[in-house]
Amino acid sequence: MSNEPNGDQNISALEENKIKAEEAKDAANKLFSAKKYEAAIEKYSEAINLNPNVAVYYSNRSFAYFKTEAFGYAVTDADSAIKLDPSYTKGYYRRAAAKMALCKFEEAQRDFRIVVKKAPTDKDAKAKLLECEKIVKRIKFEEAIEVDSPKKNILDTLEVNSIVVEPSYGGPKFEDGKITKDFIEEMMEYFKNQKKIHRKYAFEIILAVRKIMLETPSLVDITIPQSSKLTVCGDVHGQYYDFINIFKINGVPSETNMYLFNGDFVDRGSFSLEVILTLFAYKWLYPKSLYLTRGNHETDDMNKVYGFEGEVKAKYSESMFDLFSETFSTLPLAHLINRKILVVHGGLFSRDDVTLDDIRNIDRFGKKHLEQGSLMCELLWSDPQIQPGRGPSKRGVGIQFGPDVTENFLKRNNLELLIRSHEVKENGYVIDHNGKCITVFSAPNYCDTIGNKGAIINITPDLKLEYKTFEAVPHPNIRPMAYINQLGSMFM
């Protein structure tokens, strides 16, 4: 007698799975509405496992991935939704949004055109298509201009010495042309009250840091003196009021209270300019006590989409953004603490043989070094994963690396620990890979929506680690990404 279930039982099981899948989808939708995106992803995945033939499940999970900045996974799920139902308009919309987030503007434009064709009365889709077309045209125009007439170095056109500080200016001023601790403290209070320092001082701060960074290697060695501590901070993303709260909690930078800010200083938060000018000012004042790692958001493509370019142009000028752009390209890519702890913004590599000398020798200047597969791209973009080995990036850029990859890299380079940032974490930090890979994120209640804590790591000269977590503090009623273009509503 056969043990196989009969046809009626098969049909009954399928129907039961469909009912359970709908229940999982409904539960996921509630979690999504509550902004519990990771939990929503798990429930959407449950629905897909029960019934893998429903386009909306993939589309909804795509949106949840989008909210967690897993843009690569968001594209994959949108692809699945479209494959299941080529007429499903929302699948194309989801894919267009994720492509935009990855700065793949022409691909996004194609999808928006499909959305508008399928839903001609959708005003939102039309507006986003129009904005996307503007970006594509602008990029092509800029590329054509560069071919016909190479872009001039901003330093060739910038004459800071000729800028006059008007007598009516009542903000902080340099003493004999030099930055001081008093200037920075007055500047921070000025920023807190939503005022701007004079553009002459802003330009001089950026130029001073650019000069320092041009003389800085791609991998910076840091030694913590016996009388000092070093604090590693993760992404602060333009959340100025949370950023200065770190100094309230942990003390302002000084020669003995050292800091390493590990990338993604700007974008998303609408006070990015205040954050970066404060960091640059402290870097100028304490070049051996405050360190800055380049993040994936210290790049033109990200700045054009996520708000920093628009913010600088609104508060100062296009020429100032151009100077920031050139200065970001000079930032180092990694820091080595007491020869034992490597700090990078993103993560590790698609190759097994990378050494510290390889990182030291990266020529970090110019866009071509950010191309997918390059060491620099992977330093800025990669993420850890639970599974051994390597996997495709959930972001669509860089890779994902497992605990064995971390262990092998550390062993090969005689290191004890990898510290990285790049990912929002509920408690501000997470210890992965058998204690060998730590993620720290310092922007609490990220984008005013996630509800996470921020965290910092204090490191003593004998390399003992102390974690501090903190909640978000109030800020003026200016929403995140207030300076981005019409496509911005996608990222909210």
Side-chain angles (χ1 to χ4, degrees), residues 158-192:
L158 192 61
E159 296 181 0
V160 175
N161 291 334
S162 66
I163 298 175
V164 176
V165 179
E166 300 81 4
S168 60
Y169 171 68
K173 299 176 182 179
F174 289 164
E175 295 178 12
D176 299 323
K178 295 180 179 179
I179 198 163
T180 62
K181 184 171 178 276
D182 289 342
F183 173 91
I184 297 176
E185 289 176 354
E186 189 178 346
M187 178 182 73
M188 290 168 67
E189 192 65 25
Y190 217 58
F191 288 160
K192 188 177 176 182

PDB file of all heavy atoms in Angstrom, residues 158-192:
ATOM      1  N   LEU A 158      39.167  79.147  -6.548  1.00  0.00           N
ATOM      2  CA  LEU A 158      38.790  79.575  -5.208  1.00  0.00           C
ATOM      3  C   LEU A 158      39.847  80.514  -4.637  1.00  0.00           C
ATOM      4  O   LEU A 158      41.012  80.147  -4.505  1.00  0.00           O
ATOM      5  CB  LEU A 158      38.639  78.354  -4.306  1.00  0.00           C
ATOM      6  CG  LEU A 158      37.975  78.535  -2.945  1.00  0.00           C
ATOM      7  CD1 LEU A 158      36.551  79.039  -3.097  1.00  0.00           C
ATOM      8  CD2 LEU A 158      37.986  77.216  -2.177  1.00  0.00           C
ATOM      9  N   GLU A 159      39.454  81.726  -4.302  1.00  0.00           N
ATOM     10  CA  GLU A 159      40.368  82.701  -3.713  1.00  0.00           C
ATOM     11  C   GLU A 159      39.858  83.084  -2.323  1.00  0.00           C
ATOM     12  O   GLU A 159      39.218  84.108  -2.130  1.00  0.00           O
ATOM     13  CB  GLU A 159      40.476  83.933  -4.620  1.00  0.00           C
ATOM     14  CG  GLU A 159      41.087  83.626  -5.987  1.00  0.00           C
ATOM     15  CD  GLU A 159      41.214  84.864  -6.862  1.00  0.00           C
ATOM     16  OE1 GLU A 159      40.832  85.960  -6.392  1.00  0.00           O
ATOM     17  OE2 GLU A 159      41.690  84.725  -7.990  1.00  0.00           O
ATOM     18  N   VAL A 160      40.178  82.233  -1.380  1.00  0.00           N
ATOM     19  CA  VAL A 160      39.646  82.421  -0.024  1.00  0.00           C
ATOM     20  C   VAL A 160      40.186  83.686   0.616  1.00  0.00           C
ATOM     21  O   VAL A 160      39.471  84.380   1.354  1.00  0.00           O
ATOM     22  CB  VAL A 160      39.976  81.185   0.848  1.00  0.00           C
ATOM     23  CG1 VAL A 160      39.538  81.400   2.289  1.00  0.00           C
ATOM     24  CG2 VAL A 160      39.285  79.953   0.285  1.00  0.00           C
ATOM     25  N   ASN A 161      41.439  84.003   0.344  1.00  0.00           N
ATOM     26  CA  ASN A 161      42.043  85.184   0.974  1.00  0.00           C
ATOM     27  C   ASN A 161      41.331  86.475   0.601  1.00  0.00           C
ATOM     28  O   ASN A 161      41.401  87.464   1.329  1.00  0.00           O
ATOM     29  CB  ASN A 161      43.524  85.288   0.596  1.00  0.00           C
ATOM     30  CG  ASN A 161      44.346  84.177   1.232  1.00  0.00           C
ATOM     31  OD1 ASN A 161      43.970  83.651   2.277  1.00  0.00           O
ATOM     32  ND2 ASN A 161      45.460  83.825   0.600  1.00  0.00           N
ATOM     33  N   SER A 162      40.659  86.452  -0.549  1.00  0.00           N
ATOM     34  CA  SER A 162      39.972  87.670  -0.999  1.00  0.00           C
ATOM     35  C   SER A 162      38.561  87.795  -0.415  1.00  0.00           C
ATOM     36  O   SER A 162      37.906  88.818  -0.596  1.00  0.00           O
ATOM     37  CB  SER A 162      39.883  87.687  -2.530  1.00  0.00           C
ATOM     38  OG  SER A 162      39.051  86.636  -2.999  1.00  0.00           O
ATOM     39  N   ILE A 163      38.106  86.738   0.279  1.00  0.00           N
ATOM     40  CA  ILE A 163      36.764  86.797   0.885  1.00  0.00           C
ATOM     41  C   ILE A 163      36.825  87.686   2.126  1.00  0.00           C
ATOM     42  O   ILE A 163      37.661  87.493   3.005  1.00  0.00           O
ATOM     43  CB  ILE A 163      36.265  85.390   1.268  1.00  0.00           C
ATOM     44  CG1 ILE A 163      36.151  84.508   0.020  1.00  0.00           C
ATOM     45  CG2 ILE A 163      34.904  85.489   1.959  1.00  0.00           C
ATOM     46  CD1 ILE A 163      35.781  83.059   0.327  1.00  0.00           C
ATOM     47  N   VAL A 164      35.928  88.650   2.179  1.00  0.00           N
ATOM     48  CA  VAL A 164      35.910  89.613   3.283  1.00  0.00           C
ATOM     49  C   VAL A 164      34.863  89.196   4.316  1.00  0.00           C
ATOM     50  O   VAL A 164      33.737  88.846   3.964  1.00  0.00           O
ATOM     51  CB  VAL A 164      35.584  91.031   2.764  1.00  0.00           C
ATOM     52  CG1 VAL A 164      35.464  92.020   3.925  1.00  0.00           C
ATOM     53  CG2 VAL A 164      36.651  91.489   1.781  1.00  0.00           C
ATOM     54  N   VAL A 165      35.266  89.226   5.581  1.00  0.00           N
ATOM     55  CA  VAL A 165      34.319  88.998   6.671  1.00  0.00           C
ATOM     56  C   VAL A 165      33.686  90.344   7.024  1.00  0.00           C
ATOM     57  O   VAL A 165      34.361  91.247   7.519  1.00  0.00           O
ATOM     58  CB  VAL A 165      35.014  88.391   7.908  1.00  0.00           C
ATOM     59  CG1 VAL A 165      34.007  88.199   9.038  1.00  0.00           C
ATOM     60  CG2 VAL A 165      35.673  87.073   7.547  1.00  0.00           C
ATOM     61  N   GLU A 166      32.407  90.458   6.749  1.00  0.00           N
ATOM     62  CA  GLU A 166      31.714  91.724   6.941  1.00  0.00           C
ATOM     63  C   GLU A 166      31.656  92.108   8.419  1.00  0.00           C
ATOM     64  O   GLU A 166      31.551  91.237   9.289  1.00  0.00           O
ATOM     65  CB  GLU A 166      30.282  91.637   6.391  1.00  0.00           C
ATOM     66  CG  GLU A 166      30.187  91.318   4.902  1.00  0.00           C
ATOM     67  CD  GLU A 166      30.329  89.831   4.595  1.00  0.00           C
ATOM     68  OE1 GLU A 166      30.434  89.036   5.561  1.00  0.00           O
ATOM     69  OE2 GLU A 166      30.326  89.484   3.399  1.00  0.00           O
ATOM     70  N   PRO A 167      31.713  93.414   8.720  1.00  0.00           N
ATOM     71  CA  PRO A 167      31.627  93.871  10.122  1.00  0.00           C
ATOM     72  C   PRO A 167      30.338  93.425  10.806  1.00  0.00           C
ATOM     73  O   PRO A 167      30.306  93.272  12.035  1.00  0.00           O
ATOM     74  CB  PRO A 167      31.670  95.404   9.996  1.00  0.00           C
ATOM     75  CG  PRO A 167      32.348  95.660   8.686  1.00  0.00           C
ATOM     76  CD  PRO A 167      31.952  94.526   7.779  1.00  0.00           C
ATOM     77  N   SER A 168      29.307  93.175  10.029  1.00  0.00           N
ATOM     78  CA  SER A 168      28.020  92.778  10.606  1.00  0.00           C
ATOM     79  C   SER A 168      28.004  91.330  11.082  1.00  0.00           C
ATOM     80  O   SER A 168      27.097  90.922  11.816  1.00  0.00           O
ATOM     81  CB  SER A 168      26.902  92.967   9.568  1.00  0.00           C
ATOM     82  OG  SER A 168      27.164  92.175   8.412  1.00  0.00           O
ATOM     83  N   TYR A 169      29.030  90.557  10.688  1.00  0.00           N
ATOM     84  CA  TYR A 169      29.072  89.146  11.086  1.00  0.00           C
ATOM     85  C   TYR A 169      29.337  89.037  12.579  1.00  0.00           C
ATOM     86  O   TYR A 169      30.316  89.570  13.097  1.00  0.00           O
ATOM     87  CB  TYR A 169      30.167  88.411  10.296  1.00  0.00           C
ATOM     88  CG  TYR A 169      30.445  87.004  10.786  1.00  0.00           C
ATOM     89  CD1 TYR A 169      29.492  85.995  10.635  1.00  0.00           C
ATOM     90  CD2 TYR A 169      31.649  86.672  11.399  1.00  0.00           C
ATOM     91  CE1 TYR A 169      29.740  84.699  11.076  1.00  0.00           C
ATOM     92  CE2 TYR A 169      31.920  85.383  11.833  1.00  0.00           C
ATOM     93  CZ  TYR A 169      30.955  84.402  11.672  1.00  0.00           C
ATOM     94  OH  TYR A 169      31.199  83.121  12.109  1.00  0.00           O
ATOM     95  N   GLY A 170      28.457  88.313  13.281  1.00  0.00           N
ATOM     96  CA  GLY A 170      28.556  88.236  14.732  1.00  0.00           C
ATOM     97  C   GLY A 170      28.943  86.871  15.261  1.00  0.00           C
ATOM     98  O   GLY A 170      28.816  86.601  16.455  1.00  0.00           O
ATOM     99  N   GLY A 171      29.404  85.992  14.364  1.00  0.00           N
ATOM    100  CA  GLY A 171      29.729  84.633  14.774  1.00  0.00           C
ATOM    101  C   GLY A 171      31.172  84.466  15.215  1.00  0.00           C
ATOM    102  O   GLY A 171      31.920  85.446  15.338  1.00  0.00           O
ATOM    103  N   PRO A 172      31.598  83.226  15.431  1.00  0.00           N
ATOM    104  CA  PRO A 172      32.984  82.964  15.865  1.00  0.00           C
ATOM    105  C   PRO A 172      33.990  83.380  14.802  1.00  0.00           C
ATOM    106  O   PRO A 172      33.714  83.315  13.598  1.00  0.00           O
ATOM    107  CB  PRO A 172      32.995  81.448  16.074  1.00  0.00           C
ATOM    108  CG  PRO A 172      31.876  80.924  15.240  1.00  0.00           C
ATOM    109  CD  PRO A 172      30.830  81.979  15.242  1.00  0.00           C
ATOM    110  N   LYS A 173      35.171  83.801  15.266  1.00  0.00           N
ATOM    111  CA  LYS A 173      36.223  84.253  14.348  1.00  0.00           C
ATOM    112  C   LYS A 173      37.550  83.603  14.730  1.00  0.00           C
ATOM    113  O   LYS A 173      37.796  83.307  15.905  1.00  0.00           O
ATOM    114  CB  LYS A 173      36.360  85.780  14.405  1.00  0.00           C
ATOM    115  CG  LYS A 173      35.107  86.525  13.986  1.00  0.00           C
ATOM    116  CD  LYS A 173      35.267  88.035  14.145  1.00  0.00           C
ATOM    117  CE  LYS A 173      33.999  88.772  13.764  1.00  0.00           C
ATOM    118  NZ  LYS A 173      34.131  90.232  13.944  1.00  0.00           N
ATOM    119  N   PHE A 174      38.399  83.396  13.732  1.00  0.00           N
ATOM    120  CA  PHE A 174      39.736  82.878  13.993  1.00  0.00           C
ATOM    121  C   PHE A 174      40.567  83.927  14.716  1.00  0.00           C
ATOM    122  O   PHE A 174      40.339  85.133  14.573  1.00  0.00           O
ATOM    123  CB  PHE A 174      40.444  82.518  12.682  1.00  0.00           C
ATOM    124  CG  PHE A 174      39.898  81.297  11.996  1.00  0.00           C
ATOM    125  CD1 PHE A 174      40.210  81.033  10.668  1.00  0.00           C
ATOM    126  CD2 PHE A 174      39.086  80.399  12.663  1.00  0.00           C
ATOM    127  CE1 PHE A 174      39.718  79.919  10.024  1.00  0.00           C
ATOM    128  CE2 PHE A 174      38.586  79.277  12.036  1.00  0.00           C
ATOM    129  CZ  PHE A 174      38.906  79.034  10.709  1.00  0.00           C
ATOM    130  N   GLU A 175      41.543  83.425  15.481  1.00  0.00           N
ATOM    131  CA  GLU A 175      42.500  84.330  16.133  1.00  0.00           C
ATOM    132  C   GLU A 175      43.803  84.309  15.349  1.00  0.00           C
ATOM    133  O   GLU A 175      44.463  83.277  15.262  1.00  0.00           O
ATOM    134  CB  GLU A 175      42.743  83.888  17.581  1.00  0.00           C
ATOM    135  CG  GLU A 175      41.505  84.007  18.468  1.00  0.00           C
ATOM    136  CD  GLU A 175      41.769  83.521  19.882  1.00  0.00           C
ATOM    137  OE1 GLU A 175      42.962  83.318  20.226  1.00  0.00           O
ATOM    138  OE2 GLU A 175      40.797  83.353  20.647  1.00  0.00           O
ATOM    139  N   ASP A 176      44.138  85.426  14.741  1.00  0.00           N
ATOM    140  CA  ASP A 176      45.341  85.535  13.910  1.00  0.00           C
ATOM    141  C   ASP A 176      45.361  84.471  12.811  1.00  0.00           C
ATOM    142  O   ASP A 176      46.406  83.874  12.505  1.00  0.00           O
ATOM    143  CB  ASP A 176      46.616  85.412  14.771  1.00  0.00           C
ATOM    144  CG  ASP A 176      46.699  86.515  15.824  1.00  0.00           C
ATOM    145  OD1 ASP A 176      46.288  87.648  15.502  1.00  0.00           O
ATOM    146  OD2 ASP A 176      47.141  86.228  16.937  1.00  0.00           O
ATOM    147  N   GLY A 177      44.179  84.208  12.258  1.00  0.00           N
ATOM    148  CA  GLY A 177      44.083  83.264  11.144  1.00  0.00           C
ATOM    149  C   GLY A 177      44.177  81.800  11.554  1.00  0.00           C
ATOM    150  O   GLY A 177      44.300  80.935  10.694  1.00  0.00           O
ATOM    151  N   LYS A 178      44.128  81.521  12.853  1.00  0.00           N
ATOM    152  CA  LYS A 178      44.278  80.140  13.328  1.00  0.00           C
ATOM    153  C   LYS A 178      43.025  79.684  14.069  1.00  0.00           C
ATOM    154  O   LYS A 178      42.349  80.471  14.738  1.00  0.00           O
ATOM    155  CB  LYS A 178      45.496  80.023  14.255  1.00  0.00           C
ATOM    156  CG  LYS A 178      46.822  80.297  13.560  1.00  0.00           C
ATOM    157  CD  LYS A 178      47.972  80.169  14.535  1.00  0.00           C
ATOM    158  CE  LYS A 178      49.307  80.430  13.840  1.00  0.00           C
ATOM    159  NZ  LYS A 178      50.450  80.339  14.797  1.00  0.00           N
ATOM    160  N   ILE A 179      42.766  78.393  13.981  1.00  0.00           N
ATOM    161  CA  ILE A 179      41.634  77.813  14.695  1.00  0.00           C
ATOM    162  C   ILE A 179      42.013  77.563  16.144  1.00  0.00           C
ATOM    163  O   ILE A 179      43.175  77.273  16.460  1.00  0.00           O
ATOM    164  CB  ILE A 179      41.170  76.507  14.016  1.00  0.00           C
ATOM    165  CG1 ILE A 179      39.751  76.155  14.468  1.00  0.00           C
ATOM    166  CG2 ILE A 179      42.138  75.354  14.299  1.00  0.00           C
ATOM    167  CD1 ILE A 179      39.078  75.146  13.578  1.00  0.00           C
ATOM    168  N   THR A 180      41.038  77.709  17.050  1.00  0.00           N
ATOM    169  CA  THR A 180      41.278  77.500  18.472  1.00  0.00           C
ATOM    170  C   THR A 180      40.137  76.663  19.056  1.00  0.00           C
ATOM    171  O   THR A 180      39.072  76.515  18.452  1.00  0.00           O
ATOM    172  CB  THR A 180      41.332  78.839  19.236  1.00  0.00           C
ATOM    173  OG1 THR A 180      40.057  79.494  19.100  1.00  0.00           O
ATOM    174  CG2 THR A 180      42.434  79.740  18.691  1.00  0.00           C
ATOM    175  N   LYS A 181      40.373  76.170  20.253  1.00  0.00           N
ATOM    176  CA  LYS A 181      39.341  75.429  20.973  1.00  0.00           C
ATOM    177  C   LYS A 181      38.128  76.319  21.215  1.00  0.00           C
ATOM    178  O   LYS A 181      36.975  75.875  21.072  1.00  0.00           O
ATOM    179  CB  LYS A 181      39.929  74.922  22.295  1.00  0.00           C
ATOM    180  CG  LYS A 181      39.006  74.055  23.130  1.00  0.00           C
ATOM    181  CD  LYS A 181      39.796  73.447  24.279  1.00  0.00           C
ATOM    182  CE  LYS A 181      38.913  72.599  25.194  1.00  0.00           C
ATOM    183  NZ  LYS A 181      38.211  73.423  26.206  1.00  0.00           N
ATOM    184  N   ASP A 182      38.373  77.568  21.572  1.00  0.00           N
ATOM    185  CA  ASP A 182      37.268  78.505  21.817  1.00  0.00           C
ATOM    186  C   ASP A 182      36.443  78.715  20.554  1.00  0.00           C
ATOM    187  O   ASP A 182      35.210  78.796  20.618  1.00  0.00           O
ATOM    188  CB  ASP A 182      37.796  79.851  22.323  1.00  0.00           C
ATOM    189  CG  ASP A 182      38.328  79.771  23.748  1.00  0.00           C
ATOM    190  OD1 ASP A 182      37.990  78.791  24.448  1.00  0.00           O
ATOM    191  OD2 ASP A 182      39.077  80.673  24.150  1.00  0.00           O
ATOM    192  N   PHE A 183      37.114  78.811  19.402  1.00  0.00           N
ATOM    193  CA  PHE A 183      36.392  78.985  18.139  1.00  0.00           C
ATOM    194  C   PHE A 183      35.445  77.811  17.908  1.00  0.00           C
ATOM    195  O   PHE A 183      34.272  77.998  17.563  1.00  0.00           O
ATOM    196  CB  PHE A 183      37.370  79.108  16.969  1.00  0.00           C
ATOM    197  CG  PHE A 183      36.688  79.127  15.622  1.00  0.00           C
ATOM    198  CD1 PHE A 183      36.297  80.322  15.040  1.00  0.00           C
ATOM    199  CD2 PHE A 183      36.405  77.939  14.950  1.00  0.00           C
ATOM    200  CE1 PHE A 183      35.643  80.342  13.814  1.00  0.00           C
ATOM    201  CE2 PHE A 183      35.752  77.945  13.725  1.00  0.00           C
ATOM    202  CZ  PHE A 183      35.370  79.151  13.154  1.00  0.00           C
ATOM    203  N   ILE A 184      35.961  76.595  18.111  1.00  0.00           N
ATOM    204  CA  ILE A 184      35.137  75.416  17.830  1.00  0.00           C
ATOM    205  C   ILE A 184      33.945  75.350  18.776  1.00  0.00           C
ATOM    206  O   ILE A 184      32.813  75.071  18.350  1.00  0.00           O
ATOM    207  CB  ILE A 184      35.974  74.127  17.931  1.00  0.00           C
ATOM    208  CG1 ILE A 184      37.081  74.136  16.874  1.00  0.00           C
ATOM    209  CG2 ILE A 184      35.089  72.900  17.747  1.00  0.00           C
ATOM    210  CD1 ILE A 184      38.021  72.945  16.951  1.00  0.00           C
ATOM    211  N   GLU A 185      34.175  75.627  20.057  1.00  0.00           N
ATOM    212  CA  GLU A 185      33.073  75.569  21.017  1.00  0.00           C
ATOM    213  C   GLU A 185      32.018  76.623  20.699  1.00  0.00           C
ATOM    214  O   GLU A 185      30.808  76.348  20.779  1.00  0.00           O
ATOM    215  CB  GLU A 185      33.620  75.739  22.434  1.00  0.00           C
ATOM    216  CG  GLU A 185      34.411  74.516  22.898  1.00  0.00           C
ATOM    217  CD  GLU A 185      35.052  74.700  24.260  1.00  0.00           C
ATOM    218  OE1 GLU A 185      34.985  75.835  24.806  1.00  0.00           O
ATOM    219  OE2 GLU A 185      35.631  73.729  24.782  1.00  0.00           O
ATOM    220  N   GLU A 186      32.458  77.816  20.307  1.00  0.00           N
ATOM    221  CA  GLU A 186      31.508  78.863  19.921  1.00  0.00           C
ATOM    222  C   GLU A 186      30.784  78.474  18.631  1.00  0.00           C
ATOM    223  O   GLU A 186      29.580  78.699  18.479  1.00  0.00           O
ATOM    224  CB  GLU A 186      32.237  80.195  19.752  1.00  0.00           C
ATOM    225  CG  GLU A 186      31.289  81.367  19.570  1.00  0.00           C
ATOM    226  CD  GLU A 186      32.010  82.703  19.439  1.00  0.00           C
ATOM    227  OE1 GLU A 186      33.225  82.764  19.748  1.00  0.00           O
ATOM    228  OE2 GLU A 186      31.365  83.679  19.012  1.00  0.00           O
ATOM    229  N   MET A 187      31.526  77.863  17.694  1.00  0.00           N
ATOM    230  CA  MET A 187      30.927  77.421  16.437  1.00  0.00           C
ATOM    231  C   MET A 187      29.853  76.356  16.681  1.00  0.00           C
ATOM    232  O   MET A 187      28.771  76.394  16.093  1.00  0.00           O
ATOM    233  CB  MET A 187      32.000  76.860  15.507  1.00  0.00           C
ATOM    234  CG  MET A 187      31.477  76.337  14.182  1.00  0.00           C
ATOM    235  SD  MET A 187      32.776  75.627  13.132  1.00  0.00           S
ATOM    236  CE  MET A 187      33.090  74.076  14.005  1.00  0.00           C
ATOM    237  N   MET A 188      30.135  75.413  17.571  1.00  0.00           N
ATOM    238  CA  MET A 188      29.171  74.350  17.864  1.00  0.00           C
ATOM    239  C   MET A 188      27.883  74.926  18.459  1.00  0.00           C
ATOM    240  O   MET A 188      26.778  74.479  18.135  1.00  0.00           O
ATOM    241  CB  MET A 188      29.796  73.313  18.798  1.00  0.00           C
ATOM    242  CG  MET A 188      30.878  72.475  18.143  1.00  0.00           C
ATOM    243  SD  MET A 188      31.841  71.484  19.324  1.00  0.00           S
ATOM    244  CE  MET A 188      30.607  70.334  19.906  1.00  0.00           C
ATOM    245  N   GLU A 189      28.035  75.929  19.310  1.00  0.00           N
ATOM    246  CA  GLU A 189      26.845  76.570  19.885  1.00  0.00           C
ATOM    247  C   GLU A 189      26.098  77.353  18.813  1.00  0.00           C
ATOM    248  O   GLU A 189      24.863  77.369  18.790  1.00  0.00           O
ATOM    249  CB  GLU A 189      27.279  77.504  21.029  1.00  0.00           C
ATOM    250  CG  GLU A 189      26.130  77.997  21.891  1.00  0.00           C
ATOM    251  CD  GLU A 189      25.423  76.884  22.661  1.00  0.00           C
ATOM    252  OE1 GLU A 189      26.044  75.836  22.924  1.00  0.00           O
ATOM    253  OE2 GLU A 189      24.233  77.081  23.003  1.00  0.00           O
ATOM    254  N   TYR A 190      26.843  77.969  17.931  1.00  0.00           N
ATOM    255  CA  TYR A 190      26.255  78.716  16.809  1.00  0.00           C
ATOM    256  C   TYR A 190      25.434  77.762  15.940  1.00  0.00           C
ATOM    257  O   TYR A 190      24.303  78.047  15.565  1.00  0.00           O
ATOM    258  CB  TYR A 190      27.395  79.330  15.992  1.00  0.00           C
ATOM    259  CG  TYR A 190      27.108  80.703  15.429  1.00  0.00           C
ATOM    260  CD1 TYR A 190      26.771  81.773  16.268  1.00  0.00           C
ATOM    261  CD2 TYR A 190      27.210  80.946  14.063  1.00  0.00           C
ATOM    262  CE1 TYR A 190      26.541  83.034  15.750  1.00  0.00           C
ATOM    263  CE2 TYR A 190      26.984  82.206  13.536  1.00  0.00           C
ATOM    264  CZ  TYR A 190      26.649  83.248  14.384  1.00  0.00           C
ATOM    265  OH  TYR A 190      26.420  84.494  13.865  1.00  0.00           O
ATOM    266  N   PHE A 191      26.017  76.609  15.633  1.00  0.00           N
ATOM    267  CA  PHE A 191      25.306  75.594  14.847  1.00  0.00           C
ATOM    268  C   PHE A 191      24.065  75.098  15.585  1.00  0.00           C
ATOM    269  O   PHE A 191      23.013  74.873  14.985  1.00  0.00           O
ATOM    270  CB  PHE A 191      26.220  74.406  14.549  1.00  0.00           C
ATOM    271  CG  PHE A 191      27.295  74.674  13.538  1.00  0.00           C
ATOM    272  CD1 PHE A 191      28.419  73.857  13.472  1.00  0.00           C
ATOM    273  CD2 PHE A 191      27.202  75.719  12.640  1.00  0.00           C
ATOM    274  CE1 PHE A 191      29.413  74.073  12.531  1.00  0.00           C
ATOM    275  CE2 PHE A 191      28.191  75.950  11.689  1.00  0.00           C
ATOM    276  CZ  PHE A 191      29.305  75.122  11.637  1.00  0.00           C
ATOM    277  N   LYS A 192      24.209  74.904  16.884  1.00  0.00           N
ATOM    278  CA  LYS A 192      23.085  74.408  17.685  1.00  0.00           C
ATOM    279  C   LYS A 192      21.893  75.351  17.574  1.00  0.00           C
ATOM    280  O   LYS A 192      20.731  74.917  17.605  1.00  0.00           O
ATOM    281  CB  LYS A 192      23.533  74.270  19.146  1.00  0.00           C
ATOM    282  CG  LYS A 192      22.533  73.588  20.045  1.00  0.00           C
ATOM    283  CD  LYS A 192      23.114  73.434  21.444  1.00  0.00           C
ATOM    284  CE  LYS A 192      22.087  72.826  22.395  1.00  0.00           C
ATOM    285  NZ  LYS A 192      22.651  72.717  23.777  1.00  0.00           N
TER     286      LYS A 192
END
